[in-house]
Amino acid sequence: MNVSKLVRMANQIAQNFDVGERDKAVAAIADHLTRYWTVEMKKGIVAHLNQGTTGLSELAEAAIVELSKNEAYAA
Amino acid sequence: MATNYSRYRRADDFGTPAPVQESTETVTLTIDGVDISVPKGTTVLRAAALAGINIPKLCATDSLEPFGSCRLCLVHIEGARGMPASCTTEAGDGMVVTTQNKQLADVRRNVMELYISDHPLDCLTCPTNGDCELQDMAGAVGLRDVRYGYAGENHLAAEKDTSNPYFTFDPSKCIVCSRCVRACDEVQGTFALTIDGRGFGSKVAASQDQPFLDSECVSCGACVQACPTATLTENSLIEMGQPEHSVITTCAYCGVGCSFRAEMKGQEVVRMVPHKEGGANHGHSCVKGRFAFGYATHPDRITTPMIRNTIHEPWQEVSWDEALSFAAKKMKGIQAEYGQGAIGGITSSRCTNEETYLVQKLVRAAFGNNNVDTCARVCHSPTGYGLKATLGESAGTQNFDSVMKADTIVVIGANPTDAHPVFGSQMKRRLRQGAKLIVIDPRSTDLVKSPHIQADFHLPLRPGTNVAVLNAIAHTIITEGLEAKSYIDERCESDAYQDWREFIARPENSPESVEQESGVKADVIRGAARLYANAPNGAIYYGLGVSEHAQGSTTVMAIANLAMLTGNLGREGVGVNPLRGQNNVQGACDMGSFPHELPGYRHVSDPAVRALFGSEWNVSILAEPGMRIPNMFDAAVAGQFKGLYVQGEDVAQSDPDTQHVTAALSALECMIVQDLFLNETAKFAHVFLPGSSFLEKDGTFTNAERRISRVRKVMEPLAGLADWETTIALAQAMGYSMSYSHPSEVMDEIARLTPTFTGVSYDKLDALGSIQWPCNAAAESGTPTMHIDEFVRGKGLFRVTPYVATDERTSRKYPLLLTTGRILSQYNVGAQTRRTANSNWHDEDVLEIHAHDAEQRGIEDGDWVGMKSRAGETVMRAVISERVQPGVVYTTFHHPASGANVVTTDNSDWATNCPEYKVTAVQAHKVTQMSDWQQKFEQFSDEQEKFLKGAQSVTEETLN
Ligand code: SF4
Ligand code: SF4
Ligand code: SF4
Ligand code: FES
């Protein structure tokens, strides 16, 4: 799937959790992706982490690092 | 199964409505020697009818307040002087009433004599012969002679008004009882009719004595139903004569879910009459449900299955078996080549619960993946997400009747008088009784100002700023100390509340800070906040103007926050109420149509839930969510998704960014469309399976109040199979067996597997009429009001709702904001309503534009206007309108060629990907020809029409 679309969606999700404590926000974003994205989308965005410039916001990127800890979504 | 049919007779009429205040106090009186106890406030006429004693009457009917004009219902009451009218006399304790004696008979006969002297005597050829109250009363009073003769001055030559396509007004038959006028005022709330003139010269007139079609009349038919004579009569009845049996069923148009009596002659519908016992509509309906059923037998219906190898070749008509095995072979071939996840399905919010359930079961069990989604994705998916997150259940909290106890009503992004007309009428009734009204909407909708209604506050916010405005309302409530402290302490999670409180109190959320961004004056926001917070009962109603935004889910959560903050949840008269678009959106969501949820909103990652369904279905269910509709389209464009089964949806017209959607559909190797018509989506299909209308099948719909109502079959499926049977056959062809002999067995399975449906069965639905889920051991006959003692999730959860401006911003290139909506006479993509006489009211989509913006661009009313966004361009006719603010333009999307969705973008709600239909930055300019897209669309449509005609003529040739 088109990775730039995934990046756009991840950034949008992150923006909407961007209040309050950072740890909570990161966990909430990772949880949202886990619950609503397909495996392929999760794998796609995790794989994209290894690109130099991801286009991801700092918060979104932190959440995807969190997501990548799940082996099922490893690239 | 017992038959659904009952012998035709006129619905019972108790003469006057039940008293409004359900008092526990009763009075006992004697009528013609019979003792009867009735609630205090009941009229003598109604008390008698309840005792089975029918006092003659003409101007009274139990849907309207008594009027006391015809003098036919006179009675004697011991100790009272004269002959009071029983319809306007309240029953008193110990009253002794006589309804029949010589003196009363004489007076009644005289009254009838006067009526009949000015009435044509063509009963034998009159359309209402056999079902006319005037005729009945003449019989009841024993009228034998008309002493005045018929030669005097009369109205017998008055001309008929046949302007309305659905009913005829024949004033020569009018007895000026004013039931029609009262129905239009009291029931519908449109105030289109008046009694013009006085005495003998008086007559019924629509608006300024105009033809009905040109008047303010919205064709709801309440006056037709109320008329005791043939003056106002359905054209279908005039054509066909009296029905012989009737069947109770449910409207298949909008989320109000009106209950109807389908009045039948054999397998033909004579008319649809709203059912008085209907829990959602209490005997009222709108133009769509009552009149626009002709699409079901329209010649465009396709009744033979068709197949083709590519979308660039003609269709071929085939047998059901051939079509199904062709489809199954293709789908399995795709899975073999591209993987199990390369196919999916879309369930329909127009089909029944049972049908929707079967489609998601087919996907999860026979396709072996979770790639199932539904059109609620594009309308109310944020409601599911937002209400589940905060309150614990993905549904509205009240029944419709609750509005009658609301003191302040807040309507956000909804236009109930057009989109949910019967509920709109009920809301207006409450407003006329004095409830306060706050409207939050970019447009000045009908509710903002209409006869006898005026909003106390209208917040005409800039599209896309809902969250900012709702946050400012909450900010006002908090900073002015208007919150319901003890309610919050008792019922909500306190840590989350403290976090939220800290957030909402920030200065950036004050009305003054958001004034600039939202375009709403700070003092208006503050006034509205106080009015809602201080109301004993405050109720919020919202529609697609809330959900169809980049922050749709956030807005829903902000609404739930407001209701918790003010203690407005858990009793009658309050609540958070999504107004659902299509008839069965609620049901489709309940039935597990979302890729991440099994029926009853249970996430697929829950092993216990998967095990439960897995063992019933004999499969193992995947633990990872499947694709949403936009994911499917993206994957199709990327070449990873190849097969799609679409039941009763028209994604090619209804989904945003049409050009992206058609690119995706064109990339599919097998699309199976099941529908009544060759809709826009079917033009990209390889297999067409004929669908069945709501008249052709048994099942249930669930309306916006969670009310499950029966849909009952009144005619055989035109194509031989009902939709649920087709899905079963497709599963079978794919090698997965489903064995049900009736939809009731599907409901039994749903009840077995879903805790909120445990107590639901067809037998119980037959007994109770309808049931609001949850229905289980804790609530045997259903749940009209939710969250009474505690929230479904336990404690209510305040969710922090930061305002994030949408990416879709105006610029020099795209300076206007387009927002979309719908209108009364058309429904959704219009595939049904466009095939009825409803097109008399709306035969094209138009662009509403403010005079100021029009003038700047040299656009005049009626000009062709090109509208261009970042996604595409289309052309429509302009209408200069005061309803939109400068800078905002508005259109509807009921007609495919207008291409409103060519312009809408792929922006969507962050949480659910519900498209941002309500905000698109556009430019508008005068043009002389259709857009490129429209020209291509026309070409493609013509070609597809030919492919269809080709199939039909080839078959005819081989048959001849
Ligand atoms: S049109 Fe029918 S309901 Fe209206 S005043 Fe005449 S008879 Fe009565
Ligand atoms: S059809 Fe409805 S809106 Fe029209 S005049 Fe009759 S009651 Fe009024
Ligand atoms: S369209 Fe809606 S309001 Fe109209 S009759 Fe049907 S369910 Fe009722
Ligand atoms: S029915 Fe009572 S006065 Fe007409």
Side-chain angles (χ1 to χ4, degrees):
Chain A
M1 201 182 303
N2 185 338
V3 80
S4 66
K5 224 169 197 171
L6 296 181
V7 168
R8 189 169 126 203
M9 289 199 283
N11 283 341
Q12 202 191 350
I13 293 165
Q15 256 183 324
N16 277 278
F17 281 107
D18 190 7
V19 270
E21 284 167 49
R22 188 172 179 284
D23 288 358
K24 275 197 201 164
V26 169
I29 299 162
D31 179 61
H32 188 91
L33 298 176
T34 310
R35 290 177 72 80
Y36 299 105
W37 281 23
T38 65
V39 185
E40 289 72 25
M41 290 162 71
K42 286 179 273 202
K43 281 186 180 166
I45 196 85
V46 167
H48 184 65
L49 267 188
N50 305 328
Q51 305 296 313
T53 43
T54 58
L56 287 164
S57 69
E58 192 273 331
L59 194 59
E61 190 159 318
I64 290 156
V65 169
E66 194 60 36
L67 191 69
S68 70
K69 292 181 185 156
N70 187 330
E71 265 170 45
Y73 312 137
Chain B
M1 275 270 139
T3 146
N4 291 330
Y5 291 12
S6 36
R7 192 166 63 85
Y8 176 75
R9 62 184 181 91
R10 192 188 300 153
D12 289 334
D13 184 351
F14 297 97
T16 62
V20 193
Q21 297 298 348
E22 315 128 33
S23 94
T24 43
E25 221 180 306
T26 62
V27 297
T28 304
L29 68 168
T30 310
I31 305 177
D32 294 345
V34 181
D35 286 342
I36 168 158
S37 297
V38 292
K40 196 169 155 31
T42 306
T43 64
V44 172
L45 180 64
R46 184 178 175 90
L50 290 168
I53 296 167
N54 294 302
I55 302 173
K57 64 171 190 60
L58 270 175
C59 68
T61 183
D62 61 10
S63 57
L64 305 171
E65 292 305 316
F67 194 54
S69 72
C70 76
R71 313 288 297 155
L72 215 53
C73 69
L74 309 185
V75 290
H76 275 133
I77 298 177
E78 256 183 42
R81 277 196 300 148
M83 290 176 274
S86 62
C87 67
T88 51
T89 306
E90 194 179 311
D93 220 14
M95 236 179 210
V96 179
V97 180
T98 304
T99 75
Q100 300 283 356
N101 61 28
K102 170 92 177 50
Q103 196 189 356
L104 291 167
D106 285 344
V107 176
R108 287 183 187 139
R109 223 173 279 134
N110 274 333
V111 170
M112 280 309 292
E113 215 174 332
L114 267 169
Y115 276 129
I116 299 302
S117 67
D118 184 17
H119 195 88
L121 294 181
D122 58 356
C123 281
L124 281 184
T125 51
C126 176
T128 59
N129 183 17
D131 186 10
C132 171
E133 293 184 42
L134 189 66
Q135 217 175 42
D136 294 355
M137 288 306 113
V141 306
L143 183 72
R144 296 294 171 262
D145 192 15
V146 177
R147 283 165 298 172
Y148 315 102
Y150 308 104
E153 201 183 345
N154 59 43
H155 302 91
L156 302 185
E159 233 177 277
K160 287 183 190 167
D161 173 356
T162 55
S163 62
N164 185 294
Y166 295 119
F167 60 82
T168 295
F169 176 55
D170 177 359
S172 72
K173 306 216 155 162
C174 181
I175 57 170
V176 204
C177 65
S178 93
R179 270 161 69 160
C180 53
V181 177
R182 288 177 286 142
C184 193
D185 297 357
E186 293 172 26
V187 178
Q188 167 59 23
T190 294
F191 297 83
L193 300 179
T194 45
I195 301 281
D196 221 27
R198 281 160 168 262
F200 178 78
S202 60
K203 60 174 182 121
V204 171
S207 297
Q208 281 74 49
D209 207 4
Q210 287 159 300
F212 268 82
L213 194 68
D214 304 335
S215 72
E216 276 121 295
C217 166
V218 295
S219 198
C220 71
C223 55
V224 178
Q225 189 177 346
C227 181
T229 67
T231 316
L232 283 162
T233 310
E234 298 89 349
N235 289 346
S236 57
L237 185 95
I238 298 176
E239 271 156 39
M240 299 168 72
Q242 296 294 329
E244 45 83 19
H245 73 266
S246 67
V247 181
I248 304 295
T249 190
T250 305
C251 179
Y253 278 117
C254 88
V256 177
C258 294
S259 176
F260 276 92
R261 273 160 52 119
E263 301 193 347
M264 307 291 301
K265 235 182 173 141
Q267 295 201 50
E268 272 188 279
V269 181
V270 176
R271 63 179 171 188
M272 299 289 278
V273 179
H275 183 42
K276 283 189 183 176
E277 270 107 82
N281 58 321
H282 308 292
H284 188 38
S285 78
C286 80
V287 58
K288 294 190 283 289
R290 190 192 298 261
F291 293 124
F293 52 83
Y295 71 87
T297 49
H298 194 280
D300 286 355
R301 279 280 301 266
I302 297 177
T303 55
T304 312
M306 303 187 298
I307 57 173
R308 58 180 175 179
N309 275 305
T310 75
I311 62 169
H312 305 294
E313 60 187 66
W315 287 101
Q316 203 188 328
E317 292 193 332
V318 293
S319 68
W320 276 104
D321 277 349
E322 203 176 326
L324 290 162
S325 61
F326 178 89
K329 202 167 140 228
K330 281 219 164 198
M331 292 296 244
K332 295 182 95 162
I334 291 171
Q335 285 191 303
E337 196 178 336
Y338 302 96
Q340 194 161 331
I343 65 174
I346 297 179
T347 73
S348 172
S349 298
R350 287 176 217 167
C351 285
T352 63
N353 285 318
E354 293 74 4
E355 287 162 346
T356 305
Y357 176 86
L358 291 181
V359 172
Q360 63 88 34
K361 176 172 174 178
L362 169 88
V363 171
R364 298 190 206 276
F367 293 1
N369 60 46
N370 285 322
N371 293 334
V372 60
D373 205 358
T374 185
C375 50
R377 174 67 53 216
V378 303
C379 66
H380 264 294
S381 48
T383 289
Y385 179 90
L387 295 185
K388 179 117 188 167
T390 48
L391 310 179
E393 192 59 275
S394 300
T397 61
Q398 313 295 118
N399 60 4
F400 288 138
D401 286 349
S402 160
V403 77
M404 298 313 284
K405 300 205 168 139
D407 302 298
T408 292
I409 298 171
V410 188
V411 179
I412 312 177
N415 186 4
T417 51
D418 275 51
H420 304 86
V422 165
F423 177 66
S425 290
Q426 187 174 23
M427 185 184 276
K428 281 177 147 185
R429 214 172 306 144
R430 181 61 188 160
L431 293 169
R432 290 197 303 274
Q433 292 173 1
K436 301 279 183 240
L437 174 66
I438 300 166
V439 176
I440 306 181
D441 202 297
R443 263 178 101 228
S444 174
T445 56
D446 195 29
L447 275 181
V448 173
K449 192 164 172 30
S450 65
H452 306 275
I453 308 269
Q454 165 93 58
D456 297 271
F457 291 98
H458 175 213
L459 283 55
L461 76 190
R462 195 159 294 138
T465 60
N466 284 335
V467 171
V469 169
L470 294 177
N471 281 348
I473 291 177
H475 176 95
T476 307
I477 293 173
I478 284 291
T479 51
E480 298 189 5
L482 305 175
E483 73 272 29
K485 295 193 186 68
S486 59
Y487 183 95
I488 300 166
D489 281 352
E490 198 185 313
R491 300 210 35 186
C492 301
E493 279 189 22
S494 84
D495 286 354
Y497 175 62
Q498 289 312 329
D499 287 351
W500 177 82
R501 213 185 138 89
E502 181 274 315
F503 157 78
I504 208 79
R506 293 180 196 167
E508 77 229 35
N509 290 320
S510 76
E512 291 69 22
S513 311
V514 306
E515 183 175 299
Q516 179 71 23
E517 176 87 2
S518 69
V520 186
K521 294 252 175 319
D523 58 338
V524 173
I525 298 181
R526 286 194 182 271
R530 291 176 198 133
L531 186 61
Y532 172 65
N534 289 328
N537 282 338
I540 302 179
Y541 294 85
Y542 71 88
L544 302 180
V546 157
S547 51
E548 289 174 349
H549 283 283
Q551 282 201 295
S553 294
T554 313
T555 314
V556 173
M557 294 189 290
I559 288 172
N561 288 345
L562 273 179
M564 290 188 286
L565 182 67
T566 51
N568 278 316
L569 281 163
R571 60 179 187 278
E572 283 186 286
V574 298
V576 171
N577 305 280
L579 294 170
R580 304 275 179 166
Q582 304 189 46
N583 54 321
N584 203 37
V585 183
Q586 180 69 53
C589 298
D590 300 342
M591 290 300 109
S593 294
F594 289 133
H596 64 281
E597 272 168 352
L598 284 153
Y601 303 100
R602 286 166 295 165
H603 202 273
V604 289
S605 64
D606 180 340
V609 175
R610 275 201 323 278
L612 178 71
F613 282 89
S615 71
E616 175 91 26
W617 297 349
N618 254 321
V619 291
S620 82
I621 296 166
L622 296 187
E624 286 281 349
M627 294 184 206
R628 295 171 172 176
I629 293 172
N631 305 149
M632 292 180 195
F633 293 159
D634 290 344
V637 171
Q640 294 149 352
F641 186 78
K642 295 283 185 184
L644 184 60
Y645 170 43
V646 186
Q647 182 175 79
E649 277 311 320
D650 198 359
V651 288
Q653 191 186 339
S654 64
D655 285 37
D657 196 1
T658 305
Q659 302 189 65
H660 177 66
V661 174
T662 52
L665 298 181
S666 314
L668 296 173
E669 286 179 13
C670 177
M671 177 154 65
I672 308 166
V673 167
Q674 185 172 331
D675 208 284
L676 302 179
F677 303 105
L678 193 81
N679 60 20
E680 298 311 308
T681 308
K683 292 174 182 167
F684 298 88
H686 306 84
V687 181
F688 187 93
L689 303 174
S692 53
S693 79
F694 76 115
L695 299 169
E696 297 159 35
K697 58 200 182 188
D698 282 300
T700 56
F701 290 150
T702 306
N703 76 352
E705 329 155 271
R706 296 170 276 105
R707 184 186 302 279
I708 309 163
S709 304
R710 272 301 307 278
V711 174
R712 294 188 175 88
K713 179 167 144 182
V714 301
M715 58 178 74
E716 284 304 310
L718 295 191
L721 293 184
D723 291 307
W724 60 276
E725 295 173 298
T726 305
T727 303
I728 292 173
L730 180 61
Q732 213 84 35
M734 293 207 51
Y736 180 80
S737 147
M738 296 184 185
S739 52
Y740 308 93
S741 61
H742 190 269
S744 64
E745 295 168 12
V746 181
M747 182 53 86
D748 293 342
E749 179 173 318
I750 297 166
R752 262 199 311 281
L753 298 170
T754 315
T756 42
F757 275 69
T758 314
V760 180
S761 70
Y762 277 32
D763 286 342
K764 195 187 262 185
L765 284 166
D766 285 342
L768 299 181
S770 62
I771 300 172
Q772 288 179 270
W773 68 260
C775 173
N776 46 34
E780 291 279 359
S781 48
T783 312
T785 309
M786 292 192 80
H787 312 295
I788 291 184
D789 295 315
E790 61 169 4
F791 291 106
V792 171
R793 74 183 294 283
K795 297 266 185 186
L797 183 71
F798 278 83
R799 279 276 297 258
V800 175
T801 53
Y803 167 62
V804 178
T806 167
D807 295 340
E808 191 61 23
R809 287 176 169 278
T810 52
S811 60
R812 186 143 7 116
K813 206 163 160 208
Y814 303 108
L816 300 170
L817 282 182
L818 166 73
T819 183
T820 60
R822 46 209 78 207
I823 59 143
L824 171 70
S825 57
Q826 297 287 348
Y827 172 74
N828 201 270
V829 293
Q832 291 137 302
T833 39
R834 278 185 281 116
R835 290 184 171 88
T836 67
N838 276 25
S839 293
N840 275 307
W841 286 273
H842 185 83
D843 55 3
E844 61 180 329
D845 294 316
V846 296
L847 185 73
E848 283 186 25
I849 183 167
H850 191 273
H852 173 78
D853 296 323
E855 199 189 307
Q856 273 191 342
R857 291 166 177 77
I859 295 169
E860 283 173 26
D861 204 76
D863 279 351
W864 288 107
V865 172
M867 183 174 44
K868 193 171 167 29
S869 74
R870 293 174 182 98
E873 174 165 23
T874 195
V875 171
M876 310 187 177
R877 224 180 266 285
V879 167
I880 313 287
S881 164
E882 294 296 318
R883 285 185 180 255
V884 289
Q885 306 281 315
V888 177
V889 291
Y890 170 86
T891 189
T892 51
F893 60 94
H894 300 299
H895 294 269
S898 47
N901 279 326
V902 175
V903 179
T904 53
T905 66
D906 70 348
N907 286 346
S908 65
D909 173 45
W910 65 272
T912 66
N913 292 129
C914 179
E916 191 179 29
Y917 286 118
K918 300 290 178 181
V919 195
T920 311
V922 297
Q923 176 60 294
H925 56 100
K926 209 167 141 169
V927 295
T928 49
Q929 60 170 14
M930 297 286 107
S931 70
D932 281 354
W933 177 83
Q934 279 161 317
Q935 292 175 18
K936 271 191 239 136
F937 169 85
E938 219 171 87
Q939 217 176 0
F940 179 71
S941 284
D942 286 350
E943 189 183 39
Q944 294 297 327
E945 278 307 316
K946 266 187 224 128
F947 290 161
L948 172 65
K949 296 237 168 65
Q952 290 166 342
S953 65
V954 168
T955 319
E956 258 160 46
E957 269 163 37
T958 46
L959 285 176
N960 288 338

